[in-house]
Amino acid sequence: MGMKHYPPEFKADAVALYQSRPGATIKSVATDLGVNTETLRNWIRAADGRRQGAHSARPVSAAQAVSGAEAEVAALRKRVRELEEERDILRKAARYFAGGDALVNRCQFVEDHQRRYGVKRLCAIVGTARSSFYYWRQTAPDRARRKAADAALAARIRTVHRASDGTYGVPRITAELRDGGEHVNHKRVARIMHGIGLAGLRLRRKHRTTVPDPAGAKAADLIGRDFTAKAPNTRYVGDITYLPVTGAKPLYLATVIDLCSRRLAGWAIADHMRAELVVDALAAAERTRGSLDGAVFHSDHGSQYTSAVFADACAKAGVTQSMSAVGSSADNAAAESWNASMKPETLKGAKAWPTARQARLAAFRWASRYNTVRRHSRLGQRSPIAYENLFDEPSITLPEAA
């Protein structure tokens, strides 16, 4: 019961997943995604822009071949000398990049070595525009004055921070400095504190993805903690979970899960938690199923699910909304359970993904494997799609997913 027609986004993500895993074969990735091996191979060929066949070159004489080979060898030797010199230059530049502002480090390196190699060549090698270098050199006196002022302010910040037993953060330190007669902006205090490695005491709190909207429309609980269904495409649950990314804002994943087979029928990822996120997930489920008419969708009371935009999307799809009690995670346990499995199994002990792209591809691969490969104990150790396929075989007794 896999998809017959794949949207462009799915094809692009499938190709990106294959290209991001150098050790993987097309067959293994195709198996993870539940698609035909040749279908995935054709997607990859189309993305690479491969052409079938090529025009053969016209024959050349022996003299032309020798002359061309000699010229090519000479050009290669020249290029080797250039690369060796560039390598030596980069070795010298390495110690300039131990820390601090990358552009400043590049400009300082160019300034120190311009007489030997020239500004134009050095800027090209270290990846800096010449205009940026000349501007940096022109503004050197102003930077020196700002650096001295920042150093003096850093000393005062350390004094205030130490006096607070290390508990004061940017807002309190800014207020303390202002009370002492210092005219300072909180952004400057934050920048300097970050630069010298100081931070206030922060209490850890759970990342909230459910923010109720008092004015949002409410729906009755049609599930009543009965997370089962007698046939696919009749009852669904959904939720939003966050995907942490190192040094950046997290991504948010919205899901639509079939209560009969536990299949992830639809999902969407974005860098926001607006109502469009859950609407996109519902639309993805509708594309997977062909129609959701008559199905029930159960969620929490998050503002995304109580919004008029999502209510309108459900009405157009023929879906009846159901909502859990406010503040009760047990009333949406099936969706919470999916989230609890997904992140530990993809992060594998890490606290976050290095980049948003890696987080998205990891979620894409896991979601696809979850549907096509990952065995589910509640489904008799079958994958969700394999379990759904059993509905075409009435002689088999089906275990109820709970």
Side-chain angles (χ1 to χ4, degrees):
M1 296 177 67
M3 288 187 287
K4 298 295 184 181
H5 303 287
Y6 298 91
E9 295 82 5
F10 184 95
K11 296 178 182 179
D13 283 341
V15 173
L17 177 61
Y18 170 76
Q19 293 173 342
S20 70
R21 302 178 63 217
T25 64
I26 293 178
K27 182 178 180 180
S28 66
V29 175
T31 301
D32 288 348
L33 302 182
V35 302
N36 183 274
T37 301
E38 286 304 315
T39 298
L40 178 58
R41 193 188 310 278
N42 290 335
W43 294 346
I44 294 170
R45 285 174 176 168
D48 290 342
R50 296 178 181 172
R51 300 178 180 177
Q52 299 299 325
H55 297 289
S56 59
R58 288 183 290 180
V60 297
S61 66
Q64 289 176 322
V66 171
S67 177
E70 291 176 347
E72 185 176 355
V73 169
L76 289 173
R77 286 175 177 170
K78 179 182 179 182
R79 182 56 181 156
V80 167
R81 289 193 298 271
E82 291 175 350
L83 290 174
E84 287 176 345
E85 189 171 38
E86 288 183 9
R87 178 198 61 193
D88 294 338
I89 291 173
L90 288 172
R91 283 177 176 173
K92 294 177 182 179
R95 65 176 179 270
Y96 283 78
F97 299 100
D101 191 297
L103 178 61
V104 171
N105 293 337
R106 290 187 179 98
C107 291
Q108 188 63 58
F109 174 74
V110 174
E111 175 74 12
D112 294 344
H113 296 83
Q114 60 174 314
R115 290 189 177 182
R116 180 172 180 180
Y117 300 108
V119 172
K120 181 178 180 180
R121 188 177 186 195
L122 289 173
C123 286
I125 291 175
V126 300
T128 299
R130 280 182 287 168
S131 58
S132 298
F133 166 71
Y134 290 125
Y135 177 80
W136 174 85
R137 188 162 62 181
Q138 179 184 354
T139 56
D142 292 336
R143 286 198 310 278
R145 286 191 292 270
R146 287 197 300 270
K147 185 176 181 180
D150 283 352
L153 181 58
R156 291 191 286 276
I157 288 174
R158 283 194 178 95
T159 300
V160 174
H161 189 263
R162 188 165 48 249
S164 71
D165 294 330
T167 62
Y168 277 11
V170 172
R172 288 190 174 92
I173 288 182
T174 302
E176 190 79 14
L177 292 172
R178 287 175 177 173
D179 286 347
E182 187 82 36
H183 298 285
V184 64
N185 185 282
H186 72 280
K187 293 182 180 179
R188 186 182 177 198
V189 173
R191 174 176 57 82
I192 293 176
M193 288 184 66
H194 178 76
I196 61 179
L198 292 183
L201 181 64
R202 294 183 179 180
L203 300 178
R204 294 184 178 182
R205 62 184 181 89
K206 186 178 179 181
H207 193 103
R208 292 187 66 194
T209 55
T210 301
V211 181
D213 180 3
K218 306 298 188 294
D221 186 351
L222 305 180
I223 297 295
R225 298 190 182 182
D226 177 15
F227 301 110
T228 63
K230 295 186 178 182
N233 198 24
T234 57
R235 306 213 302 175
Y236 292 91
V237 294
D239 196 12
I240 299 175
T241 188
Y242 83 107
L243 308 179
V245 179
T246 301
K249 63 187 297 188
L251 297 179
Y252 296 92
L253 169 65
T255 56
V256 179
I257 302 168
D258 193 306
L259 282 179
C260 174
S261 63
R262 292 301 195 270
R263 179 176 181 174
L264 182 64
W267 58 285
I269 292 180
D271 60 357
H272 62 78
M273 288 199 301
R274 297 191 295 272
E276 294 84 35
L277 176 63
V278 295
V279 171
D280 289 344
L282 186 71
E286 192 172 19
R287 288 194 299 270
T288 298
R289 294 305 194 186
S291 172
L292 297 176
D293 189 30
V296 172
F297 178 82
H298 184 76
S299 68
D300 56 30
H301 279 261
S303 59
Q304 302 85 359
Y305 294 110
T306 60
S307 67
V309 174
F310 186 69
D312 183 61
C314 288
K316 290 180 179 177
V319 172
T320 301
Q321 283 189 266
S322 168
M323 292 184 184
S324 59
V326 176
S328 176
S329 60
D331 287 351
N332 201 21
E336 297 279 356
S337 176
W338 193 95
N339 295 337
S341 297
M342 182 268 179
K343 283 196 282 190
E345 291 187 20
T346 50
L347 283 171
K348 300 183 186 302
K351 293 184 178 180
W353 283 277
T355 66
R357 180 175 184 274
Q358 287 174 282
R360 194 182 190 286
L361 288 178
F364 171 68
R365 179 174 183 267
W366 195 89
S368 299
R369 282 183 58 83
Y370 173 86
N371 282 337
T372 61
V373 177
R374 188 179 184 276
R375 298 181 184 274
H376 202 299
S377 60
R378 297 292 185 180
L379 306 178
Q381 295 301 339
R382 299 176 178 89
S383 70
I385 288 181
Y387 181 78
E388 287 188 356
N389 289 337
L390 296 178
F391 281 80
D392 296 330
E393 303 176 31
S395 61
I396 297 179
T397 302
L398 301 175
E400 287 190 0

